Amino acid sequence: MLPIAGVAPFDDPAWFFEPWWPGTSALAYVEDFHVRLQIEHLADPMAAFPELSAMGGDFANDQLVVEGSLLVLDDEGRPDQDLLRRRLSEPGSRDGTPAFVASDLLYDLGQPLLDLTFEERRRRLAGVLTDTDSCVVSRGLRGEGITLAEAITSMGLIEISARLLSARYRPGARDESWQRVPVVEAPIVPTRPLLTLLQRLPL
Amino acid sequence: MPRSMWRGAIQFGLVTVPVKLYLATEARGGLSFNLLHKTCMNRIQMKVHCPEHGEIARSETVRGFEYSKGQYIVLDESDFDAVPLKTVRSIDIELFVDAQRGTQVTSFVKQAYYLEPEPIGRKAFYLLKSVLADEGLSAIAKIVLKDREALASINPYSTTMLLSTLYWPDEIRSAGELDLPEEEFDFKPAERTMAQQLVQAMKGEFKPEDYKDEYREALVAVLEAKVAGKPAELPKASEAPTKIADLMSVLEASVAAVREARSTGGAKIASTKSSGAKTATAKSAGSKSAKVADISSGAKRTARKAEPARAAKRKTA
């Protein structure tokens, strides 16, 4: 399933909003508690992310398909697209720390969940995945796209993902129930000086 | 209110306003400790010691001024008496300056005092206060306190006015001694926007009561526990940061910041506050498990099916 391009952040209780993490979309297949990753062009980029090979053990159930984002974090713990690109393009690159942010659960115990609502799939996802150092369930806000948009701007992120809670999963299709929404008009590239700003956030 | 520490009058032009001065602050600072002899626990004594004659009485000491290396002149009480002392009991207002950007010297405050008008001067006092407030002005004055002349500023404060004694300009060090860059920085519009947004998100009303000396409180707790004979409960050392979870904490904290900035929806962010409001680097494993996937809904996670063996395996991931 692919998102359509949204226009601007909005508030709607029927939608769930989460940051669009600056990484690459990925599907994680968990079988016998071993995980296989699939991203857009590479069949399995796991060779570039050996740190994630133990990720299968992070799930409470087996026979899963999890949709999420594959990120590479820099030393400050921030997602870094350059490090991700380097990992994918240069075999042997071990810069940064890879992480998987799960956002949707498509199969559970070998059973397809595609006909369930996003809300239910997400609820089940939270049930099967415990946060670890490298694998977490994405955080988000129900109904409050504008609040989330404001919050992530201060983190140097530029897009949010809006998903209709009642929508089913449509494999392969671009669907209106999923929007990739820019939060700022002029794109702000999260450059390094912003790290200092991020650290000054009221934690 | 304790006793006033000074009585006199504010004077400017032909106006005289009799006032009293009270210390506006008290130093709570550090808790004080005594030095004890390790073996017998007696308080050690600080004796006055002369390298040539050994212990001497304090009455055998005089005050010397070192005018060059190893060369002293001795001043006795009569010399100090000869210094012309100012005993004027007045606060002489020299001029009024813009309160916002008055002379930078007003930033260097020594001590703040509350002013209290004597009954006879109340009307004039509040007239002055009202004019200062309306015009956005500070009064710059001189005052003699403890036989010393001091520079001071007077500003409206709450229901009274505040007199702040200031450092003399020659007591303030020049910032020119610092290693500061000479070039001017160019900020990209994006950087500026980003910083502005961050500042905007953190904008709020300063509530001093929200801040406290946490070190002092922790130290008092340690002391109380020791007095009660209990081993002091020290805060546990924080674990190494778990990186991706930190990112989620930052997100939660930044959502909380946005909401706090708007001062709405306070009830809904309970779950965010519990897990994300602390620093990302100093959180315990416990807070991690308390996290919920939906920041706002507080939706509980369903019970996990993981058997212990797999749970152990997870920790090594």
Side-chain angles (χ1 to χ4, degrees), chain B residues 188-201:
Chain B
K188 293 189 192 108
E191 288 172 330
R192 192 172 284 280
T193 312
M194 172 74 203
Q196 280 165 347
Q197 278 165 343
L198 182 65
V199 168
Q200 204 58 40

Side-chain angles (χ1 to χ4, degrees), chain A residues 33 57-58 60-61 122-123 126-127 129-130 133 139-140 142 144 147 150-151 153 194 197 200-201 203, chain B residues 194 197 242 244 250 252 254 258-259 262 277-278 291-296 301-302 304-305 310 314 317:
Chain A
F33 295 105
D58 298 343
N61 288 351
R122 204 182 146 80
R123 195 184 65 76
L129 177 59
T130 312
D133 290 6
R139 307 296 199 273
R142 181 190 292 255
E144 297 178 78
T147 303
E150 272 185 45
T153 328
L194 302 182
L197 292 175
R200 298 193 68 89
L201 270 175
L203 296 179
Chain B
M194 172 74 203
Q197 278 165 343
T242 56
I244 189 70
V250 171
E252 288 165 1
S254 105
V258 168
R259 286 184 167 160
R262 293 181 183 168
K278 298 287 169 202
K291 254 174 210 161
V292 290
D294 296 2
I295 295 174
S296 69
R301 294 232 195 139
T302 50
R304 303 206 163 73
K305 297 170 195 169
R310 201 176 298 140
R314 213 175 282 144

Side-chain angles (χ1 to χ4, degrees), chain A residues 44-63:
Chain A
D44 186 359
M46 190 56 98
F49 306 98
E51 298 96 328
L52 295 181
S53 54
M55 197 171 87
D58 298 343
F59 294 92
N61 288 351
D62 199 21
Q63 307 281 321

Side-chain angles (χ1 to χ4, degrees), chain B residues 9 73 78 99 116 127 130 136 141 147 167 185 210 249 268 276 284 298-299:
Chain B
I73 45 159
S78 63
E116 182 188 85
L127 179 60
S130 147
D147 301 339
Y167 284 92
F185 290 97
D210 290 351
S249 301
K268 283 176 80 183
S284 64

Side-chain angles (χ1 to χ4, degrees), chain B:
Chain B
M1 200 78 191
R3 284 192 316 143
S4 66
M5 51 104 36
W6 189 91
R7 284 180 91 133
I10 299 177
Q11 298 199 323
F12 65 109
L14 294 173
V15 184
T16 298
V17 187
V19 291
K20 291 182 200 164
L21 235 55
Y22 296 88
L23 278 175
T25 57
E26 55 187 357
R28 301 190 69 195
L31 300 158
S32 69
F33 294 88
N34 292 306
L35 285 178
L36 307 177
H37 184 205
K38 207 173 174 181
T39 51
C40 65
M41 290 295 156
N42 274 311
R43 275 182 69 167
I44 61 163
Q45 295 177 352
M46 303 290 185
K47 298 275 187 185
V48 184
H49 187 267
C50 168
E52 196 176 325
H53 301 98
E55 191 186 329
I56 54 168
R58 202 166 284 274
S59 59
E60 289 179 66
T61 60
V62 290
R63 282 190 270 188
F65 176 80
E66 187 174 35
Y67 60 92
S68 75
K69 186 77 183 161
Q71 303 289 306
Y72 297 88
I73 45 159
V74 172
L75 271 76
D76 57 27
E77 291 307 315
S78 63
D79 294 318
F80 284 104
D81 290 344
V83 179
L85 282 181
K86 290 222 178 188
T87 52
V88 193
R89 293 248 160 221
S90 69
I91 300 167
D92 291 319
I93 293 180
E94 308 268 320
L95 79 165
F96 295 95
V97 296
D98 192 328
Q100 299 303 318
R101 299 191 189 276
T103 51
Q104 298 290 316
V105 173
T106 53
S107 305
F108 301 93
V109 171
K110 271 183 181 166
Q111 173 67 52
Y113 301 89
Y114 289 127
L115 288 166
E116 182 188 85
E118 304 273 9
I120 191 175
R122 278 178 187 165
K123 193 168 178 189
F125 182 83
Y126 283 104
L127 179 60
L128 175 61
K129 178 186 180 220
S130 147
V131 170
L132 288 184
D134 290 350
E135 306 283 323
L137 295 175
S138 293
I140 300 293
K142 280 192 192 172
I143 179 174
V144 178
L145 281 169
K146 296 177 201 155
D147 301 339
R148 293 285 189 88
E149 196 173 43
L151 189 63
S153 68
I154 300 173
N155 288 289
Y157 178 82
S158 182
T159 53
T160 178
M161 289 200 281
L162 201 62
L163 180 139
S164 311
T165 52
L166 307 172
Y167 284 92
W168 294 102
D170 61 359
E171 292 176 305
I172 298 166
R173 291 182 179 167
S174 162
E177 298 163 20
L178 305 178
D179 179 23
L180 300 175
E182 276 175 29
E183 82 262 32
E184 300 223 333
F185 290 97
D186 284 334
F187 303 111
K188 293 189 192 108
E191 288 172 330
R192 192 172 284 280
T193 312
M194 172 74 203
Q196 280 165 347
Q197 278 165 343
L198 182 65
V199 168
Q200 204 58 40
M202 292 175 67
K203 208 167 154 184
E205 207 167 302
F206 175 50
K207 295 188 193 124
E209 62 272 20
D210 290 351
Y211 299 83
K212 55 183 190 252
D213 184 347
E214 284 170 9
Y215 175 79
R216 191 177 196 279
E217 284 186 2
L219 191 57
V220 167
V222 169
L223 285 174
E224 281 172 352
K226 279 222 159 200
V227 170
K230 291 178 289 186
E233 252 190 57
L234 296 169
K236 286 179 194 132
S238 58
E239 288 186 355
T242 56
K243 292 192 159 187
I244 189 70
D246 286 350
L247 194 59
M248 298 301 152
S249 301
V250 171
L251 173 63
E252 288 165 1
S254 105
V255 166
V258 168
R259 286 184 167 160
E260 221 161 286
R262 293 181 183 168
S263 303
T264 54
K268 283 176 80 183
I269 58 169
S271 62
T272 307
K273 280 203 163 168
S274 65
S275 58
K278 298 287 169 202
T279 66
T281 50
K283 63 184 160 41
S284 64
S287 72
K288 204 163 56 179
S289 61
K291 254 174 210 161
V292 290
D294 296 2
I295 295 174
S296 69
S297 67
K300 296 276 185 296
R301 294 232 195 139
T302 50
R304 303 206 163 73
K305 297 170 195 169
E307 61 266 29
R310 201 176 298 140
K313 184 182 170 190
R314 213 175 282 144
K315 291 226 166 64
T316 62

